Amino acid sequence: MMSIRFDVSLRSSSKTAPQEAVWKNPAWYLLFLEHLDEFATLAWYLVADHQLVEETIQRTLAQLEMTPFEASMPLLAYKQAKTELITQAIAGLSLGRKESEEDAAYLPSSLGDLPDMPRLAFMLKLVLRSSEIEVARFLDVPPSRVRELVQVAIDRLSLRMPYSLLTGCYDA
């Protein structure tokens, strides 16, 4: 079970009234808490690292706090929060960290083992059902590159080493 820490201070600042919280826009925090399981899962799928999940959520909330909250349109607010979470997850990744692995010959055992770009394209396109244009915008690549990245992820996940090779048991 993954736990998420919110390091947002509830203390009063010297510039505010004693009972006033530091939050500028608490509606975003309430919306986020209402969908916390979904948003935390989404962040995990995108960044595949506990520490990055926490950082992504904290950066997302900081960005949303500066965004006007439209209470009369809850679906719009939800979509804004989700889009900001995706944007912050991608920004938080150092996209180059696994790029050198794209041409490496290895067999990933899970989505988390894929290089960042193919994993992100796969998650955004096939799991979240985003359009190629949306995925391309998030990843800052042309739509044709999105198709290539998704195919890389599918190909790598489709190549599974037989269990007998992993265990050394050949006479099964």
Side-chain angles (χ1 to χ4, degrees):
M1 181 79 186
M2 180 174 58
S3 66
I4 303 294
R5 274 189 350 256
F6 290 100
D7 291 337
V8 178
S9 174
L10 293 175
R11 296 179 318 237
S12 298
S13 99
S14 59
K15 297 179 183 177
T16 61
Q19 300 302 319
E20 187 179 334
V22 175
W23 293 346
K24 296 174 189 166
N25 203 340
W28 285 115
Y29 292 90
L30 295 173
L31 174 97
F32 214 90
L33 285 173
E34 183 178 337
H35 299 282
L36 183 58
D37 286 342
E38 176 187 351
F39 287 156
T41 301
L42 173 58
W44 172 254
Y45 284 150
L46 294 173
V47 300
D49 177 88
H50 288 292
Q51 182 65 34
L52 287 176
V53 169
E54 287 184 22
E55 291 170 10
T56 296
I57 289 174
Q58 289 173 352
R59 280 194 319 274
T60 300
L61 288 170
Q63 282 298 119
L64 289 174
E65 192 172 60
M66 296 183 290
T67 306
F69 185 87
E70 185 58 55
S72 65
M73 301 173 71
L75 185 57
L76 176 63
Y78 168 81
K79 286 182 180 182
Q80 283 179 302
K82 186 174 177 180
T83 299
E84 189 60 43
L85 179 73
I86 293 168
T87 301
Q88 291 302 320
I90 293 169
L93 287 172
S94 55
L95 291 176
R97 74 176 178 188
K98 291 186 183 178
E99 289 300 324
S100 61
E101 297 176 18
E102 270 193 47
D103 298 321
Y106 77 102
L107 302 175
S109 60
S110 70
L111 275 171
D113 293 337
L114 286 172
D116 290 336
M117 291 293 279
R119 185 187 69 252
L120 289 167
F122 181 90
M123 292 304 302
L124 293 168
K125 178 74 175 112
L126 299 179
V127 176
L128 296 177
R129 305 256 184 223
S130 301
S131 71
E132 280 183 9
I133 292 176
E134 288 174 307
V135 176
R137 197 173 325 127
F138 279 126
L139 299 179
D140 196 27
V141 297
S144 60
R145 181 71 175 132
V146 171
R147 287 187 291 277
E148 292 170 11
L149 290 167
V150 169
Q151 192 59 52
V152 165
I154 291 170
D155 290 347
R156 289 201 175 182
L157 291 171
S158 297
L159 295 172
R160 296 287 181 161
M161 195 175 296
Y163 183 71
S164 60
L165 288 178
L166 294 173
T167 61
C169 178
Y170 301 105
D171 49 307

